[in-house]
Amino acid sequence: MKVLLIDVNCKYSSTGKIVYDLYSRLNADGHEARIAYGRGDVIDEPGIFKFGIDSETKKHALLARITGKNGCYSPKSTARLIEYIKEFKPDLIHIHELHAYFVNHGQLLEFLKEQQIPVVWTFHCEYMYTGKCGFAYECQQYKSGCGKCPYIHEYVSSFGIDRTAQLLAEKKKSMEGLNLKAIVTPSKWLADKTKETYLYKYNIQVIHNGIDTDGIFYPRPSDVELRNEYGINPDDRLVLAVAPNIMDVRKGGQTVLDLAETMPDTQFVLVGADETKRHSENVQLIARTKNQDELARWYSEADVFIICSKAENFPTTCIEALCCGTPVVGLDECGTKETAPEPYGTFVKVDIAGDSDVKYAATLEALKKAIDSQLARELSAQQIRDFAVSAYDNKVMYNNYLNVYNICS
């Protein structure tokens, strides 16, 4: 079977790692897989093609902000992708993310409709059924066509022009006639939401994200050197948060900092900041890293992993922590809770968007109690890891996708 995987990234970021895992396992299993991706460093490996032109991506991002229209530019990059598809002649195309200013949606989907190539599409966010939003939060205007977007300045961002109604109508038109065999979502939360949209008629199923649980994400021994490097005492309780752009409002970094102020006897490490610095006596900020081994060391060293994002589909950071033997605590938002069912995770159902100071203080107190409650369970790292490997090893993910490919190709 010849499979082409399309994504914004390759090898790096949550979706880029998933795509690379599928590519590697397909080829090892005797199939012929290739990756076409739009952004990031050029990867010099057989069957991996960066079609995105960086200068065109920057122009696309600027035009999207000026005009309010995303996914309508990058004609040269998209033409390169189409030529690559023509040359490869795949039996199946597996699409992941198409936003992030690197491809022309209409141009690509019209070609795929003309060729009637079978498509499997993994939704990692809400983008394909909203006008422009990766996450709709509490907004449900996409059910009636979008317009008057309350999040016009959030990613995918605009300087002020609202084209969301037009963009959603164009997405619906582009999807008509596409040989779309299956829509996959990593979480039940996103599957249920997708079924409430114009895409309800398609085959929608859940396949959890998978990671490398053997070579990278496994429990490491106590790491005194790591603690010493950042001035953390060996006996201090350690709470870890990891996210790209962790101080972005959606990622909840500020909530973690505010929680740390209420827990002076606990050390907090936030990975994914703009720089590495000691924020306060009990908070260490660390810049984003592509070093997976370093991340695994932090996951293993932490007593608890915390996630305070306002919106996530099925965050890979949670399953990375679990595979390293670390329990999860966080806000019960979107699909996050699905990653760590009890007893491996404790989640607080509080919507902090627009909360009063009193409610926000209650949220912080609930998170503090959740950390204490989770640690009181005294689960061993091996117990947590055993669950995580059975559910989230990339071999499990691959086999589930292979079943879909075999049915759909």
Side-chain angles (χ1 to χ4, degrees), residues 292-307:
Q292 302 297 286
D293 184 71
E294 180 183 357
L295 279 177
R297 289 171 66 196
W298 277 118
Y299 286 130
S300 300
E301 192 62 24
D303 295 292
V304 174
F305 178 78
I306 190 166
I307 181 166

Side-chain angles (χ1 to χ4, degrees), residues 20 51 80-81 148 184 268 276 318 365 370 375-376 386 392:
Y20 189 75
F51 65 86
R80 279 161 54 89
L81 172 58
K148 297 182 180 179
V184 176
F268 286 76
T276 296
C318 292
E365 182 62 25
L375 290 176
D386 285 346
Y392 306 133

Side-chain angles (χ1 to χ4, degrees), residues 96-166:
H96 288 259
E97 296 284 23
L98 286 190
H99 55 79
Y101 318 114
F102 68 98
V103 69
N104 186 302
H105 301 157
Q107 185 181 350
L108 173 61
L109 295 182
E110 283 303 314
F111 168 75
L112 296 181
K113 286 191 287 188
E114 289 172 6
Q115 301 299 311
Q116 281 298 290
I117 302 170
V119 173
V120 172
W121 199 323
T122 296
F123 288 2
H124 295 280
C125 66
E126 300 185 77
Y127 179 75
M128 282 310 297
Y129 60 72
T130 67
K132 70 156 196 78
C133 294
F135 288 95
Y137 302 108
E138 79 291 342
C139 177
Q140 297 189 28
Q141 291 181 171
Y142 58 86
K143 294 182 179 179
S144 58
C146 280
K148 297 182 180 179
C149 179
Y151 298 107
I152 194 66
H153 296 295
E154 289 197 20
Y155 178 84
V156 176
S157 59
S158 164
F159 289 148
I161 298 176
D162 189 338
R163 305 277 192 190
T164 54
Q166 177 186 350

Side-chain angles (χ1 to χ4, degrees), residues 7 9 30 61 69 79 90 118 126 182 192 207 215 221 237 240-241 243 255 269 276 282 298 312 318 339 368 387 405:
D7 190 36
N9 298 306
K69 295 185 68 176
E126 300 185 77
D192 290 343
I207 297 178
R237 189 165 69 168
L240 174 71
T255 301
V269 171
T276 296
N282 70 324
W298 277 118
E312 295 285 354
C318 292
T339 62
K368 182 179 178 180
F387 157 74
Y405 294 162

